[in-house]
Structures are given as C-alpha cells and as structure tokens.
Amino acid sequence: MAIRSEDVLDTTKDNKEVKTNEKERDYSQYFQSTYAPPSLKDAKKRGKEQVQILKDFSIPENLKNIGVGKKFYIRTYGCQMNEHDTEVMAGILNEMGYETTYSTDDADVILLNTCAIRENAENKVFGELGHLKHTKANNPNLLLGVCGCMSQEESVVNRILSTYPQVDMIFGTHNIHRLPQIIENALFSKEMVVEVWSKEGDIVENLPRKRKGNVKGWVNIMYGCDKFCTYCIVPYTRGKERSRYPQDIIEEVRQLAREGYKEVTLLGQNVNAYGKDFEDLEYGLGDLMDEIRKIDIPRLRFTTSHPRDFDDRLIEVLAKGGNIVDHVHLPVQHGNSDVLKLMARKYTREHYLELVSKIKAAMPNVALTTDIIVGFPNETEEQFQETLSLVKEVQYDAAYTFIYSPREGTPAAKMQDNVPMEVKRERLQRLNAMLNDISLEKNKAYVGKVVEVLVEGESKKNPDVLTGHTGSNKVVNFKAPKHLIGEIVKVQITDAKTWNLGGEWVEEKSEVVG
C-alpha cells in the first residue's frame, strides 16, 4: 500500500513547530483511509502467501534524470544488511542522476538508514534528525528521509510524524525498490510521504548497487527471520524468511569475481536458515557454499548464523577449507539454559557446546566470535556465572557484548526488567575483562608467524599505516606501499594487542597461517 500523509503535517518551509499538547497524540488516527501505520502485530503474522521473485526493476523514464546536478548523502546505522541496503539505494539514486556527497551541507537528498536493534541506536537517529533541522531550514528544497528498520516500528513513525516535521520521507525495509516513486512524491507533493509495509515483501533481483569499495562485496542470500527471540525486533522489521534462488546468488558472486573482488560475505538475518522456505527444492547454505567456493574468489564468508540452524552439511562444507575462511560468528547470547529458554533461543547450553565441539573438530584453526547479552530479565548471579564459564570453555577470539535493553513490541519488553543497571554494568565489566584476556592470549600466539592479510586501506589513526584482516578476521596493522590496498599480502606478526595485531610486510615466500 503506497501512502501519503495528508491533512496532518505541512512540511513546507514556513511550517511552525508542533505544539506540545499535539506531541502526545497518536497520529495514526488521521490515516484511516490513506495510511496504515506499520504494525508489529501484523508483522508477526507469517502468512502462506507466496513470495514473488521480481526481475523487472527499472527506473521510470520520467525519473531517470530527475537528480542530474544534485547530490545525495546516506548515513548508515547498524548491521551489514543495512550497509548492503545503502549500496542498493546509492545505486538507484545514481541511476536517477544523483551524485554522491560526503557532507550533509551540500546534499539535496539525505537518507538516514536506521537500526532498531537497541534503544541507543534509535536515540542517535533522533539526535541526528534534530541536528538536520537547521540544515533543512537553510535549504528548504532538501529532501530528508528516514528508512530502514526503525521505519517499520509504529511508535517510531508516530514520533516522527508528531515531532520531526522536517522529515519528508519515511519508508521501510520492504520498500527500497520504490525509492524513485517515493522521491517523486516528496518532490512534487511538498508533503511528508510515508510508505511502510508490514507484509513480508517480495524479492527484487536486478536492483542496481553502488558498492562500497571494490575489495569486499556483500551478497544478500535471504531476507527476514522466523526465530522470534523474545528480545529481538528484527523478525518484525525485516519480515519472514525469504531465500533467493541459488542461480541468482551464484551469478552475483561470479560478477564480483569478474570485477576483481577479493572477498565475498553471504548475508542473512539468519543466514544458515537459507533454503528452508523453498518448496520446490532441497537446498541449504551448505549446498550453496559448496558451489560458490568453486568460484575464483580468494575469500568466502557468511554472517550471521543461528546455532539452531547450523547443520552437519554446513560443517562438512566448511571443513573443505580453500577459500572458505576459518572464522565463524556464532551468537550464543547467554550461557544458562533457563535464560536461553526465556530468550526463546530454541537451544540449550549443552546443545551449543556440542555444536562448538563439532565445528572445532572440523576446523581446527577456526576463530569463533559471538554475541552476548547481560542483564536479561530475571538473570541471577549464578546464571551470569554460567555465561562466564561458557566463555572460558569456548575461548572466543572476540565478542560483541551488550547490556539488555527492552525493545517496544517484543515479548521481553513485557517482562519485568528487574536487574538493576549498576548490576548490569558490573557484570558487563567482568565479562569484558575475561573476553579481553582471552583475546590477548590468542593474539599473542600469532607473534612470529606469517599471515595473509587482505589490505583494506589506511589506518584511521595513522595514514602511513595500512590495515586489513586475516582469514580468521584478525585486524592487522603494518607499514607498506599504498599500491597494496586491495591485495592479499603476507605479513609477519611482531606485536599483539587485545583487538589487533601489528606486523611487517614480507615479500618472500613463507609458511602462512590463518
């Protein structure tokens, strides 16, 4: 359903601030006939409607040059999936004539591609909208849009409608292919354009992309998630699991190989559930990777996996090595089975540790990373201790750690958040201290060894230093000629820190490790 907000906010340059008493209204009441606000209730439904594969995307003729002489700026928050969505939007805007700018000051279109995973991410977006109010005042013809996962939340849409009249466009994760029409409506209607679908969305195959760099490429293999972990908003904002067909993915990877990309990462909210929604063939992530590994791409990765769907076929293929890197990101979230049950993770501590053992047996040099939440509702000290003991047993190379924050509309948000913040912070400190010690010890084992590093660019801290990743996802900093950017080179490790390695570039042949 395409939607325009009518009779609510006038977003022309002389619009005045919304009065305080109006900010508390639910503006969805004004859209009974023209606008259905995004609904978490509707988003949770997993209908049997067949997902359509659309291959006829094109920019309408009347919009192909609408951006000539104009510039766009996209700020991306959150995960690699959002980064990939940004690449698609940039590709569409380029085909409409727009050029990229890296400053909001001279942009004609500004898009905030948002993340809804945590409250802090949302607060950053609202803060940025406040800053951009002045930019909009200085340039009334500027189009300001909010897209991505936050746009799929009804509370967010209502807040933007009531509090941020400087926004011209709101569109969701399922509507990116309609960006040309959304911009057209915003340009010519001079009203806020709201287009958000709570339905799962179709798969649009031939969308243009302007990829970030030409070294590492991201390839979506599926969309959505059906796990419904109690703390997570993603299944609501991204819809049900929908897999792309293998031939379309393989052709995209082949094209990246032809263009000289050195690394490809297969993406999905729950990437190893790939293929489980197919009704006409039996084909999973292991099968897909077994085919893609034969393509002439030096490195092949995937993220993010769910322990519930990590099957033996995938492990069998990962064990073949070659261009499949020896790094697996395997989010555990917690070390206690009772808390995992409250989280609806659908596996136990014992199942997770058994899976880790299988992976380590098949990939002896594997680097394991994870996600962990502390302070989930009802978490006791004893349960937190089980997280610490699991971390000690698994010996992760790195981890993303978070203090639990409730997301409106999720089941966990209805639970009593009864772990005091000071306790959460103290537990996070203890957890991070243990992880840092383990990471440092693992990194020290690399000193003296020669590793292969994909050189990605200059270090942000020192332009005279190059930086890149090993196959096991270790960050390596070293001095070398700039022409090596984009190449895979050998580096002898001389220094180990908690989160990165230092080394010296070597040209001679040496025995190489991960």
Side-chain angles (χ1 to χ4, degrees), residues 213-437:
N214 57 359
V215 179
K216 301 168 76 170
W218 310 95
V219 176
N220 266 102
I221 68 170
M222 67 176 299
Y223 306 90
C225 181
D226 287 347
K227 283 296 179 283
F228 287 101
C229 300
T230 55
Y231 55 82
C232 186
I233 198 73
V234 167
Y236 307 89
T237 61
R238 289 283 181 175
K240 75 176 182 181
E241 292 173 353
R242 320 178 298 285
S243 301
R244 296 175 63 195
Y245 275 103
Q247 60 268 30
D248 296 318
I249 299 167
I250 292 168
E251 178 50 39
E252 185 176 343
V253 175
R254 283 179 177 151
Q255 181 59 36
L256 290 173
R258 288 191 285 268
E259 294 173 9
Y261 281 77
K262 298 296 193 298
E263 179 174 300
V264 166
T265 302
L266 306 182
L267 289 180
Q269 260 80 35
N270 179 13
V271 71
N272 45 349
Y274 173 78
K276 295 194 173 185
D277 56 314
F278 288 145
E279 295 181 354
D280 51 349
L281 75 159
E282 289 188 14
Y283 195 93
L285 178 59
D287 302 307
L288 180 65
M289 292 195 70
D290 203 22
E291 290 197 52
I292 292 179
R293 70 183 184 87
K294 300 168 187 174
I295 299 173
D296 188 20
I297 289 275
R299 289 184 179 177
L300 177 61
R301 301 182 185 273
F302 65 95
T303 196
T304 289
S305 57
H306 192 293
R308 174 81 173 183
D309 293 318
F310 214 108
D311 57 32
D312 291 343
R313 169 61 174 155
L314 177 58
I315 294 174
E316 173 195 339
V317 174
L318 296 179
K320 294 181 180 180
N323 59 355
I324 299 176
V325 300
D326 50 2
H327 168 235
V328 173
H329 188 66
L330 193 66
V332 65
Q333 305 300 358
H334 207 276
N336 174 267
S337 293
D338 290 335
V339 176
L340 290 171
K341 187 174 182 180
L342 278 177
M343 291 179 167
R345 289 293 287 174
K346 301 181 175 68
Y347 56 81
T348 63
R349 172 193 176 97
E350 290 72 27
H351 170 267
Y352 183 90
L353 290 174
E354 181 183 351
L355 175 58
V356 167
S357 295
K358 283 184 179 180
I359 293 172
K360 287 186 174 181
M363 306 170 68
N365 295 318
V366 69
L368 283 171
T369 56
T370 197
D371 299 338
I372 299 174
I373 297 171
V374 301
F376 195 75
N378 300 306
E379 181 192 61
T380 65
E381 173 62 23
E382 290 74 21
Q383 289 170 333
F384 172 70
Q385 287 291 337
E386 287 201 61
T387 292
L388 294 180
S389 67
L390 183 138
V391 166
K392 189 174 182 179
E393 181 171 347
V394 176
Q395 294 284 297
Y396 294 106
D397 285 69
Y400 297 98
T401 59
F402 309 95
I403 288 176
Y404 168 75
S405 63
R407 308 307 299 125
E408 183 178 344
T410 62
K414 298 177 182 178
M415 301 178 188
Q416 184 181 359
D417 191 8
N418 52 7
V419 181
M421 181 53 71
E422 59 269 24
V423 174
K424 293 180 182 181
R425 291 192 179 120
E426 190 270 339
R427 287 176 184 172
L428 183 68
Q429 287 179 344
R430 279 191 281 157
L431 173 62
N432 285 341
M434 175 178 284
L435 285 163
N436 290 349
D437 288 344

Side-chain angles (χ1 to χ4, degrees), residues 71-205:
K71 298 179 180 179
F72 73 90
Y73 173 93
I74 305 177
R75 178 160 292 172
T76 310
Y77 303 80
C79 67
Q80 289 96 338
M81 192 71 77
N82 277 18
E83 293 281 359
H84 187 267
D85 286 346
T86 289
E87 292 180 343
V88 171
M89 289 188 288
I92 291 173
L93 288 166
N94 280 161
E95 290 204 357
M96 295 172 68
Y98 289 95
E99 295 181 1
T100 306
T101 180
Y102 298 97
S103 170
T104 58
D105 295 335
D106 63 345
D108 298 281
V109 175
I110 297 176
L111 298 178
L112 304 184
N113 188 6
T114 63
C115 172
I117 290 290
R118 287 172 182 84
E119 184 178 10
N120 186 47
E122 291 193 358
N123 289 338
K124 287 181 179 179
V125 173
F126 289 125
E128 185 64 15
L129 286 177
H131 293 148
L132 290 172
K133 180 179 179 180
H134 304 290
T135 306
K136 177 78 172 178
N138 293 332
N139 179 13
N141 293 321
L142 167 70
L143 292 184
L144 176 58
V146 178
C147 56
C149 289
M150 277 177 62
S151 301
Q152 296 288 152
E153 298 181 82
E154 53 212 294
S155 60
V156 168
V157 172
N158 280 331
R159 181 173 174 181
I160 294 173
L161 289 171
S162 64
T163 313
Y164 299 93
Q166 65 268 33
V167 173
D168 301 287
M169 304 172 286
I170 305 173
F171 59 99
T173 59
H174 309 320
N175 307 71
I176 289 173
H177 64 289
R178 283 191 42 80
L179 182 56
Q181 291 83 0
I182 292 169
I183 285 180
E184 179 186 27
N185 287 342
L187 277 172
F188 298 114
S189 72
K190 293 299 180 183
E191 295 173 314
M192 190 184 294
V193 177
V194 183
E195 182 165 315
V196 182
W197 296 338
S198 295
K199 69 186 287 287
E200 291 88 351
D202 297 319
I203 294 175
V204 185
E205 275 301 341

